[in-house]
Amino acid sequence: MQPTHIYPAQGNYVVNLTVNDGAVSSSTEPLTISVSEPQISLPYVLDSNNSSLYFVSTKKEHTVETHTFRTLSGDISLDGDARLSIDLSSVDTGVETRDGRMKEHLFDINTYPLAQVSLSLDYDTVKAVPAGTTQEMEISATLNLYGVDIQIDTQVQVSRLSSSRILVQNIQPILLNATDFGLEAGIETLRTLANLTSISYAVPVNFNLVFQTQEPVQAGEE
């Protein structure tokens, strides 16, 4: 005999167990059932409003500028498949003319509108990071940019902000080389248009990514 019942909330509940022989005798005993809140696994979704990704350009050898992208999206599935999508048309260098030149001559957004990062994680390990603590993790990700896939091996820091929110940050800047993606011609075009003596092909990248689970709606909530 395996009766089942779904309780709407956690707590202690008294139930009556009745046993009879189907003919004459029967006996009833009260039982207390302790119901705890279930541990529900949910996908993590990028909180784009509280996430950021920056890259650094170096020109004329000593002039260093930091740029960003305004539009990011991503998620971490229950299987541990993590994805980050960068809208290259959202590049923000602080100079509108330069933004337009980068979209057209460097990224070629009409052909390659997105840069995408994908990797596999141990979802349970990420979920198990205690609230208020930080854990370092080795990752191996694939970056697709300008139609080229490059593997990136690095360390990240995962911080548990709350039961439903985590922060993922790189520990050291990730150094990308424009030549690995065939972007050197675009950089030279930018250098000529800006009348610069040089622009470095080495580009450091830093990120702060906040992921959150979508809490399930409880009974009686809207």
Side-chain angles (χ1 to χ4, degrees):
M1 307 293 285
Q2 296 178 328
T4 61
H5 180 74
I6 298 176
Y7 289 89
Q10 63 182 352
N12 294 322
Y13 297 86
V14 177
V15 299
N16 291 319
L17 172 65
T18 300
V19 179
N20 65 71
D21 62 6
V24 178
S25 299
S26 110
S27 178
T28 299
E29 292 288 340
L31 298 174
T32 299
I33 295 178
S34 180
V35 177
S36 58
E37 186 173 344
Q39 296 296 315
I40 300 175
S41 294
L42 296 169
Y44 285 95
V45 178
L46 185 72
D47 179 355
S48 57
N49 292 328
N50 292 293
S51 299
S52 58
L53 185 148
Y54 297 95
F55 66 99
V56 175
S57 66
T58 305
K59 57 194 67 174
K60 295 185 292 187
E61 296 186 5
H62 304 297
T63 302
V64 178
E65 296 178 317
T66 301
H67 314 302
T68 190
F69 294 96
R70 295 186 303 275
T71 305
L72 307 172
S73 61
D75 52 59
I76 304 173
S77 74
L78 297 181
D79 294 327
D81 295 325
R83 177 188 63 88
L84 175 67
S85 183
I86 305 161
D87 182 353
L88 299 178
S89 69
S90 71
V91 63
D92 186 356
T93 68
V95 179
E96 187 175 350
T97 299
R98 182 166 54 194
D99 292 346
R101 289 174 176 175
M102 293 185 77
K103 295 174 192 178
E104 179 180 358
H105 302 293
L106 181 62
F107 297 131
D108 186 10
I109 62 170
N110 289 329
T111 306
Y112 306 103
L114 301 174
Q116 295 186 320
V117 180
S118 59
L119 67 150
S120 294
L121 297 170
D122 186 333
Y123 179 92
D124 290 334
T125 298
V126 173
K127 184 182 177 183
V129 176
T133 67
T134 296
Q135 183 172 325
E136 294 184 5
M137 296 183 182
E138 300 273 354
I139 64 168
S140 181
T142 299
L143 169 61
N144 179 275
L145 173 64
Y146 207 64
V148 177
D149 288 333
I150 295 294
Q151 181 174 314
I152 299 172
D153 298 318
T154 190
Q155 279 188 316
V156 297
Q157 180 174 279
V158 179
S159 303
R160 170 69 60 182
L161 304 179
S162 70
S163 61
S164 61
R165 290 167 66 83
I166 59 172
L167 169 64
V168 182
Q169 301 169 293
N170 56 304
I171 295 176
Q172 296 179 337
I174 297 173
L175 192 62
L176 302 180
N177 195 309
T179 59
D180 292 338
F181 301 94
L183 292 171
E184 58 269 33
I187 289 181
E188 287 303 314
T189 299
L190 295 180
R191 183 188 65 79
T192 300
L193 291 172
N195 195 28
L196 299 171
T197 56
S198 66
I199 299 179
S200 175
Y201 290 177
V203 181
V205 176
N206 293 282
F207 56 82
N208 300 280
L209 306 175
V210 175
F211 291 88
Q212 63 183 17
T213 58
Q214 302 298 315
E215 296 293 348
V217 175
Q218 301 294 329
E221 291 183 350
E222 295 183 358

